[in-house]
Amino acid sequence: MTFQFNFTIEDHLEDELTSLGDGALALDSSEESSVSERQKGTHRDKKRPTEQFDLLQDHLWEHKSAGNAGPSQDTGSSLNAANSSSSLEPHEKQPCFRVAKEHAMPKDLKKVLENKVIETLPGLQHMNISVVKTILLKENFPGENIISKSFSAHSDLITGVYEGGLKIWECTFDLLAYFTKAKVKFAGKKVLDLGCGSGLLGIMAFKGGAKEIHFQDYNSVVIDEVTLPNVVANSTLEDENDVNEPDVKRFRKSKVAQALCKFRFFSGEWSEFCKLLLSSEERFEKYDLILTSETIYNPGYYGPLHQTFLRLLDKNGRVLLASKAHYFGVGGGTHLFQKFVEDRNVFEMRTLEIIDEGLKRFLIEMNFKYPS
Ligand SMILES: C[S@@+](CC[C@H](N)C(=O)[O-])C[C@H]1O[C@@H](n2cnc3c(N)ncnc32)[C@H](O)[C@@H]1O
Protein backbone atom coordinates (compact mmCIF):
# COMPACT_ATOMS: atom_id res chain seq x y z
CA MET A 1 0.00 0.00 0.00
CA THR A 2 1.36 3.41 -0.89
CA PHE A 3 0.48 6.61 0.92
CA GLN A 4 1.27 10.24 0.45
CA PHE A 5 2.91 11.72 3.50
CA ASN A 6 4.65 14.97 4.16
CA PHE A 7 8.15 13.81 4.96
CA THR A 8 11.54 15.37 4.59
CA ILE A 9 14.64 13.71 3.30
CA GLU A 10 17.64 15.94 3.06
CA ASP A 11 18.03 16.73 -0.61
CA HIS A 12 21.80 16.64 -0.63
CA LEU A 13 21.86 13.23 0.96
CA GLU A 14 19.47 11.98 -1.67
CA ASP A 15 21.84 13.31 -4.33
CA GLU A 16 24.63 11.40 -2.65
CA LEU A 17 22.60 8.28 -2.74
CA THR A 18 21.62 8.75 -6.35
CA SER A 19 25.30 8.78 -7.17
CA LEU A 20 25.96 5.81 -4.95
CA GLY A 21 26.27 3.55 -7.98
CA ASP A 22 28.08 0.33 -7.18
CA GLY A 23 28.39 1.16 -3.53
CA ALA A 24 30.96 3.94 -3.82
CA LEU A 25 29.73 7.02 -2.05
CA ALA A 26 30.28 10.38 -3.74
CA LEU A 27 30.07 13.34 -1.39
CA ASP A 28 29.56 16.96 -2.26
CA SER A 29 32.41 19.26 -1.31
CA SER A 30 30.92 20.51 1.97
CA GLU A 31 30.27 17.00 3.21
CA GLU A 32 33.67 15.92 1.95
CA SER A 33 35.33 18.39 4.27
CA SER A 34 33.12 17.25 7.14
CA VAL A 35 34.03 13.66 6.50
CA SER A 36 37.75 14.30 6.24
CA GLU A 37 37.65 16.28 9.46
CA ARG A 38 35.59 13.55 10.97
CA GLN A 39 38.08 10.91 9.97
CA LYS A 40 40.59 12.74 12.14
CA GLY A 41 38.20 12.45 15.05
CA THR A 42 35.23 14.36 16.38
CA HIS A 43 34.64 17.70 14.74
CA ARG A 44 32.70 20.30 16.65
CA ASP A 45 30.98 22.40 14.03
CA LYS A 46 29.69 25.49 15.77
CA LYS A 47 29.28 27.51 12.60
CA ARG A 48 25.94 26.18 11.50
CA PRO A 49 23.63 26.42 14.49
CA THR A 50 20.49 26.84 12.43
CA GLU A 51 21.21 24.25 9.78
CA GLN A 52 18.87 21.79 11.42
CA PHE A 53 15.97 24.05 10.57
CA ASP A 54 16.71 23.38 6.91
CA LEU A 55 15.46 19.89 7.60
CA LEU A 56 12.07 21.30 8.35
CA GLN A 57 11.21 22.12 4.76
CA ASP A 58 8.59 19.53 4.11
CA HIS A 59 8.27 17.73 0.81
CA LEU A 60 5.75 15.19 -0.26
CA TRP A 61 7.14 11.71 -0.18
CA GLU A 62 5.57 8.38 -0.53
CA HIS A 63 5.03 6.49 2.64
CA LYS A 64 5.23 2.75 2.15
CA SER A 65 3.46 0.52 4.60
CA ALA A 66 5.19 -2.74 5.36
CA GLY A 67 2.26 -4.16 7.28
CA ASN A 68 -1.48 -3.92 7.66
CA ALA A 69 -2.06 -0.61 9.35
CA GLY A 70 -5.55 -1.21 10.66
CA PRO A 71 -6.26 0.56 13.92
CA SER A 72 -5.88 -1.69 16.91
CA GLN A 73 -8.32 -1.49 19.78
CA ASP A 74 -7.20 -0.27 23.16
CA THR A 75 -8.90 -2.40 25.74
CA GLY A 76 -7.56 -0.55 28.78
CA SER A 77 -9.87 1.91 30.45
CA SER A 78 -8.57 2.21 33.99
CA LEU A 79 -5.39 2.45 35.94
CA ASN A 80 -5.87 -1.17 37.01
CA ALA A 81 -5.77 -2.29 33.42
CA ALA A 82 -2.41 -0.62 33.19
CA ASN A 83 -0.95 -3.05 35.65
CA SER A 84 -2.20 -6.21 34.06
CA SER A 85 0.04 -7.74 31.46
CA SER A 86 -2.97 -9.46 29.91
CA SER A 87 -4.19 -6.03 28.80
CA LEU A 88 -1.40 -6.01 26.24
CA GLU A 89 -2.45 -6.62 22.70
CA PRO A 90 -1.02 -9.65 20.97
CA HIS A 91 1.60 -8.39 18.58
CA GLU A 92 -0.08 -10.09 15.63
CA LYS A 93 -2.76 -7.44 15.84
CA GLN A 94 -0.29 -4.60 15.73
CA PRO A 95 0.95 -2.99 12.55
CA CYS A 96 4.52 -3.21 13.74
CA PHE A 97 6.49 -5.43 16.02
CA ARG A 98 10.01 -5.21 17.31
CA VAL A 99 11.28 -6.85 20.47
CA ALA A 100 12.51 -4.31 22.99
CA LYS A 101 15.99 -4.25 24.40
CA GLU A 102 18.04 -2.05 26.65
CA HIS A 103 21.19 -0.44 25.28
CA ALA A 104 24.10 -0.17 27.68
CA MET A 105 26.10 3.00 27.82
CA PRO A 106 29.44 2.13 26.17
CA LYS A 107 32.46 2.33 28.48
CA ASP A 108 34.55 4.23 25.99
CA LEU A 109 32.69 7.51 25.59
CA LYS A 110 35.16 8.85 23.06
CA LYS A 111 34.22 6.00 20.76
CA VAL A 112 30.55 7.02 20.90
CA LEU A 113 31.47 10.36 19.38
CA GLU A 114 33.94 8.96 16.88
CA ASN A 115 33.14 9.79 13.25
CA LYS A 116 30.48 12.26 14.28
CA VAL A 117 30.05 15.95 13.49
CA ILE A 118 28.57 17.90 16.37
CA GLU A 119 26.33 20.88 15.78
CA THR A 120 24.82 23.30 18.23
CA LEU A 121 21.37 24.61 18.95
CA PRO A 122 20.78 27.09 21.77
CA GLY A 123 21.82 25.21 24.91
CA LEU A 124 22.14 21.88 23.11
CA GLN A 125 24.56 19.87 21.05
CA HIS A 126 23.52 17.23 18.57
CA MET A 127 24.99 15.01 15.92
CA ASN A 128 24.73 16.04 12.30
CA ILE A 129 22.34 13.34 11.11
CA SER A 130 23.34 13.58 7.44
CA VAL A 131 26.86 12.60 8.44
CA VAL A 132 25.56 9.71 10.55
CA LYS A 133 23.51 8.46 7.60
CA THR A 134 26.40 8.88 5.18
CA ILE A 135 28.76 6.93 7.40
CA LEU A 136 26.25 4.15 7.98
CA LEU A 137 25.63 3.84 4.27
CA LYS A 138 29.33 3.89 3.52
CA GLU A 139 30.05 1.23 6.09
CA ASN A 140 27.21 -0.86 4.74
CA PHE A 141 25.95 -0.99 8.28
CA PRO A 142 24.96 -4.58 9.05
CA GLY A 143 22.18 -3.65 11.54
CA GLU A 144 18.75 -2.64 10.48
CA ASN A 145 19.84 -1.13 7.18
CA ILE A 146 17.06 1.41 7.57
CA ILE A 147 18.82 4.19 5.73
CA SER A 148 19.03 2.48 2.39
CA LYS A 149 15.52 1.11 2.90
CA SER A 150 14.20 4.58 3.60
CA PHE A 151 15.91 5.95 0.51
CA SER A 152 14.64 3.12 -1.68
CA ALA A 153 11.16 3.75 -0.34
CA HIS A 154 11.57 7.55 -0.75
CA SER A 155 10.22 7.91 2.73
CA ASP A 156 11.26 9.03 6.18
CA LEU A 157 9.12 6.28 7.56
CA ILE A 158 8.41 2.66 6.67
CA THR A 159 5.76 1.16 8.90
CA GLY A 160 7.19 -1.48 11.16
CA VAL A 161 10.69 -1.07 9.73
CA TYR A 162 11.79 2.49 10.25
CA GLU A 163 9.71 4.97 12.25
CA GLY A 164 11.49 8.24 11.52
CA GLY A 165 14.01 8.60 14.34
CA LEU A 166 16.86 9.68 12.08
CA LYS A 167 15.60 13.21 11.82
CA ILE A 168 14.73 16.02 14.19
CA TRP A 169 11.06 16.68 13.60
CA GLU A 170 9.47 20.09 13.73
CA CYS A 171 7.37 19.55 16.87
CA THR A 172 10.50 18.77 18.88
CA PHE A 173 11.46 22.43 18.44
CA ASP A 174 7.96 23.48 19.48
CA LEU A 175 8.24 21.50 22.71
CA LEU A 176 11.76 22.77 23.39
CA ALA A 177 10.51 26.35 23.01
CA TYR A 178 7.56 25.56 25.26
CA PHE A 179 9.85 24.21 28.01
CA THR A 180 11.56 27.59 28.20
CA LYS A 181 8.44 29.69 27.78
CA ALA A 182 6.39 27.79 30.35
CA LYS A 183 9.38 27.20 32.65
CA VAL A 184 8.60 23.49 32.74
CA LYS A 185 10.06 21.99 35.92
CA PHE A 186 12.19 18.90 35.52
CA ALA A 187 14.09 18.96 38.80
CA GLY A 188 13.89 15.67 40.66
CA LYS A 189 11.56 14.08 38.08
CA LYS A 190 11.75 10.73 36.37
CA VAL A 191 11.30 11.46 32.68
CA LEU A 192 10.71 9.35 29.56
CA ASP A 193 11.46 10.68 26.08
CA LEU A 194 9.13 8.38 24.15
CA GLY A 195 9.87 7.92 20.43
CA CYS A 196 12.94 9.97 21.16
CA GLY A 197 14.86 10.02 17.85
CA SER A 198 17.56 12.58 18.61
CA GLY A 199 16.57 12.64 22.27
CA LEU A 200 16.70 16.43 22.56
CA LEU A 201 13.61 16.55 24.79
CA GLY A 202 15.11 14.15 27.31
CA ILE A 203 18.42 15.98 27.15
CA MET A 204 16.68 19.26 28.04
CA ALA A 205 15.02 17.47 30.95
CA PHE A 206 18.48 16.35 32.09
CA LYS A 207 19.75 19.92 31.85
CA GLY A 208 16.78 21.02 33.90
CA GLY A 209 17.77 18.68 36.75
CA ALA A 210 15.67 15.55 36.09
CA LYS A 211 16.74 12.74 38.40
CA GLU A 212 16.42 9.99 35.81
CA ILE A 213 15.88 10.12 32.06
CA HIS A 214 14.93 7.20 29.84
CA PHE A 215 14.96 7.25 26.06
CA GLN A 216 12.99 4.94 23.78
CA ASP A 217 13.07 4.65 20.01
CA TYR A 218 11.68 1.97 17.71
CA ASN A 219 14.98 1.50 15.89
CA SER A 220 18.05 0.34 17.70
CA VAL A 221 20.36 2.05 15.22
CA VAL A 222 18.78 5.39 16.13
CA ILE A 223 19.60 4.85 19.79
CA ASP A 224 23.17 3.76 19.08
CA GLU A 225 24.10 6.27 16.42
CA VAL A 226 22.10 9.36 17.35
CA THR A 227 20.46 9.35 20.79
CA LEU A 228 23.39 7.95 22.75
CA PRO A 229 25.97 10.21 21.07
CA ASN A 230 23.72 13.24 21.66
CA VAL A 231 23.40 12.37 25.33
CA VAL A 232 27.14 11.85 25.66
CA ALA A 233 27.90 15.13 23.87
CA ASN A 234 25.60 16.99 26.24
CA SER A 235 26.79 15.34 29.43
CA THR A 236 30.53 15.47 29.00
CA LEU A 237 31.64 18.79 30.34
CA GLU A 238 34.30 20.94 28.72
CA ASP A 239 36.81 19.32 26.42
CA GLU A 240 39.10 17.22 28.56
CA ASN A 241 42.09 18.14 26.45
CA ASP A 242 42.13 21.68 27.82
CA VAL A 243 43.01 20.50 31.34
CA ASN A 244 46.25 18.99 32.52
CA GLU A 245 45.59 18.95 36.25
CA PRO A 246 44.99 15.30 37.23
CA ASP A 247 42.69 16.34 40.08
CA VAL A 248 40.52 18.48 37.83
CA LYS A 249 40.41 15.70 35.27
CA ARG A 250 39.38 13.16 37.88
CA PHE A 251 36.72 15.50 39.26
CA ARG A 252 35.28 16.07 35.77
CA LYS A 253 35.30 12.35 35.05
CA SER A 254 33.38 11.57 38.20
CA LYS A 255 30.86 14.33 37.40
CA VAL A 256 30.33 12.86 33.94
CA ALA A 257 29.98 9.36 35.39
CA GLN A 258 27.36 10.66 37.84
CA ALA A 259 25.47 12.32 35.02
CA LEU A 260 25.53 9.24 32.83
CA CYS A 261 24.07 7.08 35.59
CA LYS A 262 20.83 9.00 35.17
CA PHE A 263 20.21 7.70 31.65
CA ARG A 264 18.77 4.49 30.24
CA PHE A 265 18.19 3.68 26.59
CA PHE A 266 15.69 1.32 24.98
CA SER A 267 14.72 0.31 21.49
CA GLY A 268 11.70 -1.62 20.29
CA GLU A 269 7.97 -1.40 19.80
CA TRP A 270 5.94 0.30 22.55
CA SER A 271 4.08 -2.74 23.92
CA GLU A 272 7.34 -4.66 24.00
CA PHE A 273 9.05 -1.76 25.71
CA CYS A 274 6.38 -1.76 28.43
CA LYS A 275 6.72 -5.50 28.82
CA LEU A 276 10.48 -5.22 29.18
CA LEU A 277 10.29 -2.52 31.83
CA LEU A 278 7.46 -4.01 33.84
CA SER A 279 8.71 -7.57 33.79
CA SER A 280 12.37 -6.87 34.46
CA GLU A 281 11.92 -4.68 37.50
CA GLU A 282 10.31 -5.86 40.68
CA ARG A 283 8.85 -2.50 41.47
CA PHE A 284 9.01 -0.30 38.46
CA GLU A 285 8.88 3.34 39.47
CA LYS A 286 6.59 5.08 36.99
CA TYR A 287 7.43 8.24 35.10
CA ASP A 288 6.53 11.68 36.40
CA LEU A 289 6.75 13.08 32.92
CA ILE A 290 6.50 11.52 29.47
CA LEU A 291 7.67 13.74 26.62
CA THR A 292 6.70 12.74 23.12
CA SER A 293 6.91 14.54 19.79
CA GLU A 294 5.43 13.49 16.43
CA THR A 295 4.43 10.04 17.56
CA ILE A 296 0.71 10.07 16.73
CA TYR A 297 0.95 10.02 12.94
CA ASN A 298 -0.26 6.44 12.58
CA PRO A 299 -3.73 5.58 13.99
CA GLY A 300 -2.69 1.93 13.92
CA TYR A 301 -0.31 2.68 16.83
CA TYR A 302 -2.79 4.49 19.05
CA GLY A 303 -3.68 1.38 21.05
CA PRO A 304 -0.10 0.55 22.10
CA LEU A 305 0.71 4.23 22.63
CA HIS A 306 -2.30 4.78 24.88
CA GLN A 307 -1.41 1.59 26.78
CA THR A 308 2.13 2.84 27.23
CA PHE A 309 0.93 6.06 28.84
CA LEU A 310 -1.51 4.07 30.94
CA ARG A 311 1.05 1.58 32.17
CA LEU A 312 4.12 3.74 32.60
CA LEU A 313 2.86 7.13 33.77
CA ASP A 314 2.68 7.82 37.48
CA LYS A 315 -0.86 8.48 38.69
CA ASN A 316 0.06 12.11 39.27
CA GLY A 317 2.29 12.35 36.24
CA ARG A 318 1.69 14.11 32.95
CA VAL A 319 2.40 13.62 29.28
CA LEU A 320 3.56 16.52 27.13
CA LEU A 321 2.77 15.64 23.56
CA ALA A 322 3.50 17.60 20.40
CA SER A 323 1.93 16.82 17.06
CA LYS A 324 0.88 18.17 13.72
CA ALA A 325 -2.85 18.58 13.17
CA HIS A 326 -2.80 15.98 10.43
CA TYR A 327 -0.34 13.61 8.84
CA PHE A 328 -1.24 13.24 5.20
CA GLY A 329 -1.08 9.73 3.90
CA VAL A 330 -0.91 7.95 7.24
CA GLY A 331 -4.07 9.59 8.44
CA GLY A 332 -3.23 10.28 12.08
CA GLY A 333 -3.06 13.63 13.80
CA THR A 334 -4.15 15.62 16.80
CA HIS A 335 -7.93 15.42 16.44
CA LEU A 336 -8.01 11.72 15.70
CA PHE A 337 -5.81 10.98 18.70
CA GLN A 338 -7.87 13.26 20.92
CA LYS A 339 -10.98 11.35 19.90
CA PHE A 340 -9.24 8.04 20.58
CA VAL A 341 -8.23 9.19 24.06
CA GLU A 342 -11.64 10.67 24.86
CA ASP A 343 -13.36 7.41 23.89
CA ARG A 344 -11.24 5.51 26.40
CA ASN A 345 -12.01 7.98 29.17
CA VAL A 346 -8.77 7.45 31.07
CA PHE A 347 -6.88 10.66 30.36
CA GLU A 348 -7.79 14.29 30.38
CA MET A 349 -6.33 16.34 27.54
CA ARG A 350 -5.60 20.03 27.50
CA THR A 351 -4.30 22.05 24.60
CA LEU A 352 -1.35 24.12 25.77
CA GLU A 353 -0.54 25.86 22.54
CA ILE A 354 -1.49 25.92 18.87
CA ILE A 355 1.24 26.88 16.44
CA ASP A 356 -0.57 28.13 13.40
CA GLU A 357 2.20 28.38 10.81
CA GLY A 358 1.61 26.36 7.66
CA LEU A 359 0.38 23.02 8.89
CA LYS A 360 -1.10 23.59 12.36
CA ARG A 361 0.80 22.05 15.25
CA PHE A 362 -0.43 21.35 18.76
CA LEU A 363 1.12 21.02 22.19
CA ILE A 364 -1.03 18.90 24.44
CA GLU A 365 -0.93 17.91 28.08
CA MET A 366 -2.41 14.65 29.30
CA ASN A 367 -2.98 13.44 32.82
CA PHE A 368 -5.08 10.76 34.48
CA LYS A 369 -8.74 11.72 34.88
CA TYR A 370 -9.13 9.65 38.00
CA PRO A 371 -5.68 9.40 39.54
CA SER A 372 -6.64 7.54 42.70
C1 LIG B 1 8.44 10.81 13.50
S1 LIG B 1 9.57 10.17 14.63
C2 LIG B 1 9.76 11.52 15.78
C3 LIG B 1 11.11 11.51 16.44
C4 LIG B 1 11.32 12.58 17.49
N1 LIG B 1 10.40 12.45 18.59
C5 LIG B 1 11.24 13.96 16.90
O1 LIG B 1 10.27 14.68 17.15
O2 LIG B 1 12.19 14.36 16.24
C6 LIG B 1 8.52 9.07 15.52
C7 LIG B 1 9.23 8.31 16.63
O3 LIG B 1 8.30 7.51 17.34
C8 LIG B 1 8.80 6.20 17.52
N2 LIG B 1 7.71 5.26 17.23
C9 LIG B 1 6.71 5.44 16.36
N3 LIG B 1 5.90 4.39 16.36
C10 LIG B 1 6.39 3.51 17.26
C11 LIG B 1 5.95 2.25 17.75
N4 LIG B 1 4.85 1.67 17.29
N5 LIG B 1 6.70 1.63 18.69
C12 LIG B 1 7.80 2.22 19.16
N6 LIG B 1 8.26 3.42 18.76
C13 LIG B 1 7.55 4.07 17.83
C14 LIG B 1 9.95 6.02 16.58
O4 LIG B 1 10.99 5.47 17.24
C15 LIG B 1 10.28 7.41 16.09
O5 LIG B 1 11.51 7.85 16.54
Side-chain angles (χ1 to χ4, degrees), residues 5 7 94-98 156-157 160 162-173 193-201 216-219 222 267-271 273 291-298 300-301 304-305 322 327:
F5 197 89
F7 285 117
Q94 291 172 19
C96 67
F97 175 75
R98 186 159 298 217
D156 270 328
L157 185 146
Y162 166 52
E163 295 291 348
L166 287 174
K167 180 178 140 174
I168 305 177
W169 292 69
E170 211 167 1
C171 292
T172 277
F173 296 105
D193 185 342
L194 188 73
C196 61
S198 62
L200 299 187
L201 301 177
Q216 173 280 335
D217 197 90
Y218 186 77
N219 293 101
V222 171
S267 62
E269 188 276 329
W270 287 321
S271 309
F273 167 60
L291 307 170
T292 193
S293 154
E294 308 237 17
T295 45
I296 57 168
Y297 49 85
N298 190 338
Y301 299 163
L305 181 62
Y327 291 87

